């Protein structure tokens, strides 16, 4: 029982005074797409995958249109559920080494410019206050981790794919979405000693409502219509990020070791086709 718990139930504090003076560890949790970066990181990788023959021209065209729809309206729970289902069929049999090579070679071109200046400044402010910064995204590890490093994040949590014999099985080992984000946050908080009631979270999407509810200081950024309405009802702060800045100067080139050890690299590109499928199934080209 902590001193706070003891005070709440009227019993004597069982924690020594010296321990009570230990500063509370906190973190700021950031969604990635449209919160830290100006577009969908997953959809952005359709072209290099087309160039390597992994997807066809029709999928590239759909991805471009889906990027537009995503920027205008985001993706709801139904679309995200379809995305996960689509991933299981699209990525089956893809070679991990080929995907890691593509991502390593094209990462700079894809993400530059990408990061919102307002997000970069806010992240710097949190770090100055002694808080860890954690990027939490449904995109794949291979995209989330290098961007997180570039902006100075302490940790990155993302979707991971299952790999056997060097190829993707089409199964999702961990889907970092919805309640999955909350589970990952709580696991990290337990490991790092974060007090979630004193932590911060930022997102643009109603699908991240569970993540925002899991901390004491939620803020919505560039919110979709549903999240804006929710934020208004709950009195949550609403912020607008609108100034993307070049990431090239912030993002070091990935080392050979970093690229070679990337697992689940296909998740972001797979999500590109998946989200495209869910957004465009009503539209014919």
């Amino acid at each position: 029982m902590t001193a706070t718990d003891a005070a709440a139930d009227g019993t004597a504090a069982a924690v020594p005074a010296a321990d009570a003076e230990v500063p509370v560890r906190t973190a700021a949790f950031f969604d990635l797409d449209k919160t830290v970066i100006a577009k969908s990181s997953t959809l952005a990788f359709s072209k290099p995958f087309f160039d390597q023959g992994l997807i066809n021209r029709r999928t590239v065209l759909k991805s471009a249109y889906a990027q537009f729809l995503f920027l205008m309206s985001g993706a709801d729970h139904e679309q995200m559920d379809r995305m996960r289902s689509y991933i299981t069929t699209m990525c089956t049999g893809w070679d991990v080494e080929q995907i890691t090579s593509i991502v390593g070679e094209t990462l700079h071109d894809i993400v530059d410019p990408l990061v919102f200046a307002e997000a970069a400044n806010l992240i710097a402010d949190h770090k100055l206050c002694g808080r860890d910064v954690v990027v939490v995204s449904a995109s794949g590890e291979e995209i989330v981790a290098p961007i997180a490093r570039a902006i100075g994040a302490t940790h990155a949590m993302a979707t991971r794919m299952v790999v056997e014999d060097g190829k993707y099985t089409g199964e999702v080992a961990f889907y970092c979405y919805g309640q999955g984000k909350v589970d990952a946050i709580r696991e990290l908080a337990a490991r790092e000693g974060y007090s979630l009631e004193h932590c911060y979270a930022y997102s643009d999407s109603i699908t991240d409502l569970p993540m925002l509810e899991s901390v004491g200081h939620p803020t919505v950024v560039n919110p979709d219509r549903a999240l804006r309405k929710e934020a208004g009802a709950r009195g949550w702060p609403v912020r607008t990020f609108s100034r993307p800045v070049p990431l090239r100067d912030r993002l070091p080139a990935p080392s050979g070791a970093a690229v070679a050890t990337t697992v689940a690299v296909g998740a972001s590109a797979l999500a590109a086709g998946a989200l495209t499928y869910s957004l465009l199934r009503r539209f014919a080209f």
Side-chain angles (χ1 to χ4, degrees):
M1 178 183 295
T2 66
T4 301
D5 294 334
D9 66 9
T11 63
V15 180
D19 291 344
E21 296 175 358
V22 175
V24 174
R25 291 202 66 199
T26 59
F29 299 93
F30 287 81
D31 175 47
L32 183 59
D33 297 351
K34 295 176 66 177
T35 302
V36 173
I37 63 177
K39 60 181 179 180
S40 166
S41 58
T42 57
L43 294 176
F45 269 79
S46 59
K47 185 179 185 302
F49 277 84
F50 166 76
D51 292 340
Q52 293 294 319
L54 293 172
I55 58 177
N56 59 31
R57 186 177 300 275
R58 178 181 176 84
T59 302
V60 174
L61 293 173
K62 286 184 175 182
S63 294
Y65 188 55
Q67 180 74 262
F68 171 76
L69 292 181
F70 176 78
L71 292 175
M72 294 300 100
S73 61
D76 59 22
H77 288 289
E78 181 180 359
Q79 291 164 343
M80 293 295 286
D81 286 341
R82 289 174 182 168
M83 179 177 71
R84 182 178 185 179
S85 176
Y86 193 64
I87 287 174
T88 63
T89 57
M90 183 177 177
C91 76
T92 303
W94 283 17
D95 184 81
V96 175
E97 289 188 4
Q98 181 185 12
I99 304 303
T100 55
S101 176
I102 294 171
V103 172
E105 292 172 0
T106 62
L107 184 61
H108 281 294
D109 293 334
I110 297 301
V111 300
D112 183 26
L114 211 58
V115 173
F116 284 120
E118 298 93 338
N121 292 337
L122 182 59
I123 287 169
D125 288 344
H126 278 297
K127 294 183 70 177
L128 283 174
C129 291
R131 300 185 188 100
D132 284 354
V133 171
V134 185
V135 174
V136 191
S137 175
S139 296
E141 289 183 319
E142 80 293 348
I143 302 299
V144 178
I147 293 177
R149 288 194 299 269
I151 61 178
T154 314
H155 302 282
M157 296 184 289
T159 294
R160 300 188 303 274
M161 303 297 294
V162 175
V163 176
E164 291 182 2
D165 298 324
K167 298 182 183 297
Y168 296 106
T169 67
E171 298 177 344
V172 179
F174 171 64
Y175 191 28
C176 194
Y177 164 75
Q179 185 60 39
K181 284 190 176 184
V182 176
D183 293 341
I185 287 172
R186 288 175 177 168
E187 181 179 342
L188 181 65
R191 185 167 71 247
E192 297 292 333
Y194 302 145
S195 173
L196 289 179
E197 65 180 308
H198 297 293
C199 287
Y200 296 73
Y202 302 87
S203 179
D204 70 288
S205 175
I206 189 62
T207 63
D208 279 335
L209 185 59
M211 179 179 80
L212 294 168
E213 291 175 329
S214 71
V215 300
H217 303 284
T219 296
V220 304
V221 175
N222 299 338
D224 56 32
R225 183 178 301 177
L227 185 57
R228 183 178 295 275
K229 181 178 180 180
E230 193 71 31
R234 297 175 182 240
W236 289 349
V238 178
R239 302 187 64 162
T240 300
F241 293 170
S242 60
R243 295 187 296 114
V245 294
L247 184 61
R248 188 177 299 273
D249 293 338
R250 297 173 179 267
L251 184 62
S255 66
V259 173
T261 56
T262 299
V263 295
V265 67
S268 285
L270 302 178
L275 186 54
T276 295
Y277 174 81
S278 65
L279 289 172
L280 299 179
R281 63 183 300 171
R282 303 187 303 273
F283 300 88
F285 281 87

